[in-house]
Amino acid sequence: MLDYDLHCHSTVSDGLLSPTELVARAAERGVKFLALTDHDDTSGLAEAAAAASQQGMQFINGVEISVTWRSYTLHIIGLRIDPAYKPLAEGLHTIRSGRGARAELMAESLARSGISGALTGAYQYADNQGIIGRTHFARFLVESGYSKDVRSVFKNYLVKGKPGYVAHQWASLPDAVSWICGSGGVAVLAHPGRYTVARKGMGQKTLRELLSEFVDLGGQGIEVVCGSHTPEQYAEFARYANEFNLLASCGSDFHGPGESYRDLGRLPDFPLDCRPVWLAWEADPFSSSDTLLTSSGVERVEAESINR
Ligand code: AMP
Ligand code: MN
Ligand code: MN
Ligand code: MN
């Protein structure tokens, strides 16, 4: 079992727990290393870091950036970012500023399908109004009786071809990776299994093009063990990690009790041949906590871990 959880959400984005409550729950569940990765917003990190230090838990500054690559929406996780790094802070601000207008269009689309009051309804679930998104609409749709739970909302609403879906332009992949790496962080491709779903998703050729571009831009990690992957996908993405010389990351993608596929922590071990993402910061005696590791840095880590 892994005592790292490097992907979860608080009320700063679309989670149900405050950063302090999230850290307390993670500690109870045995997490020793936690990254808070709210969507497009880093304003929960200071509170989470303070709570983690009270609990004697190692805390990692994180973020999950929304990206548009070709026709796909991707999520890129930044770990060990510096939230004060200006290009990152400004980039996230720009992404957030698009969410309000998108929400209005989503509500209009739902209204055309006979669902009224969605905008006000969704905002009632958004603690942080600046990060209004599909999960808040999903909670409104559940409360109003249109779906039995948040997960089933995403079968009938808010996705391509269904009421409430609105195409949106997020950050570019080069921008997101450069904001993360420029701030001293490690860029990780989140839940790749979500992009390759049968029929609607990208095929293997496109996934390989994405991974190759991501690595060229400075991306260093890929989620292998995560809340939305099956055990077969752990093995599948471990193979991609090795093929593209990427470090493996793990995270529950926890949003709230009873709502998520997985609760915090207690994630199963990586397939044996994976190099965990924390090698990028643990095993390098030359790096200080805020040093950017280049891909050659990772090669150095690799050599060192063999020597140990
Ligand atoms: P947004 O950034 O507004 O597009 O919202 C994306 C969020 O919607 C994700 O981070 C998840 O929290 C949620 N979401 C998307 N697809 C699903 C799904 N199939 N099941 C549950 N939640 C989902
Ligand atoms: Mn989310
Ligand atoms: Mn995501
Ligand atoms: Mn997430």
Side-chain angles (χ1 to χ4, degrees):
M1 217 158 59
L2 295 161
D3 49 13
Y4 282 76
D5 192 331
L6 302 176
H7 185 165
C8 63
H9 298 272
S10 76
T11 45
V12 161
S13 61
D14 55 358
L16 291 170
L17 305 181
S18 71
T20 302
E21 291 165 338
L22 190 75
V23 166
R25 188 180 182 95
E28 269 167 31
R29 294 181 52 84
V31 175
K32 301 276 190 300
F33 301 84
L34 181 76
L36 173 62
T37 55
D38 275 312
H39 298 286
D40 309 322
D41 197 319
T42 59
S43 61
L45 297 179
E47 181 188 323
S53 120
Q54 291 263 315
Q55 300 273 359
M57 183 198 281
Q58 293 290 317
F59 182 72
I60 292 139
N61 278 337
V63 68
E64 182 174 17
I65 305 185
S66 312
V67 161
T68 301
W69 181 78
R70 300 187 185 171
S71 62
Y72 301 97
T73 296
L74 309 176
H75 287 171
I76 304 294
I77 299 270
L79 297 176
R80 288 191 116 210
I81 50 153
D82 173 4
Y85 178 63
K86 232 173 156 200
L88 173 66
E90 287 173 358
L92 296 181
H93 182 267
T94 304
I95 303 179
R96 289 196 298 275
S97 63
R99 281 185 174 268
R102 171 188 185 239
E104 284 176 30
L105 295 174
M106 288 167 68
E108 282 166 22
S109 162
L110 288 169
R112 284 193 295 276
S113 300
I115 300 174
S116 60
L119 191 64
T120 317
Y123 269 111
Q124 270 165 8
Y125 288 94
D127 249 48
N128 175 0
Q129 308 261 296
I131 210 83
I132 185 81
R134 286 188 292 164
T135 310
H136 308 112
F137 279 87
R139 290 181 188 137
F140 161 78
L141 289 168
V142 172
E143 183 210 55
S144 314
Y146 292 101
S147 289
K148 68 173 169 30
D149 56 31
V150 164
R151 270 178 262 169
S152 39
V153 169
F154 288 92
K155 295 192 178 82
N156 301 311
Y157 302 96
L158 313 179
V159 293
K160 223 172 240 175
K162 306 285 181 184
Y165 176 75
V166 172
H168 190 74
Q169 191 70 30
W170 302 102
S172 75
L173 184 64
D175 280 351
V177 175
S178 88
W179 299 334
I180 292 168
C181 296
S183 88
V186 175
V188 174
L189 180 68
H191 43 58
R194 294 251 294 258
Y195 317 133
T196 57
V197 283
R199 287 177 299 133
K200 288 177 288 179
M202 54 176 86
Q204 287 202 10
K205 179 171 175 287
T206 308
L207 176 64
R208 285 203 162 82
E209 287 164 2
L210 165 63
L211 291 173
S212 147
E213 198 174 319
F214 179 61
V215 168
D216 286 347
L217 291 166
Q220 290 182 25
I222 182 169
E223 281 188 339
V224 168
V225 171
C226 72
S228 49
H229 282 177
T230 61
E232 291 72 34
Q233 286 176 316
Y234 303 159
E236 179 186 354
F237 291 103
R239 287 193 296 274
Y240 280 107
N242 287 333
E243 180 181 338
F244 288 87
N245 199 23
L246 286 161
L247 300 167
S249 192
C250 62
S252 59
D253 204 1
F254 176 76
H255 283 70
E259 197 173 273
S260 294
Y261 290 100
R262 282 202 84 100
D263 208 318
L264 287 158
R266 299 184 191 164
L267 293 161
D269 285 328
F270 286 127
L272 278 179
D273 46 358
C274 285
R275 291 175 303 132
V277 69
W278 44 91
L279 283 183
W281 58 80
E282 260 184 3
D284 188 352
F286 304 108
S287 90
S288 70
S289 63
D290 46 18
T291 302
L292 167 64
L293 266 181
T294 59
S295 44
S296 60
V298 171
E299 281 157 24
R300 194 168 67 220
V301 168
E302 214 180 356
E304 274 152 15
S305 60
I306 290 163
N307 289 336
R308 289 204 307 180

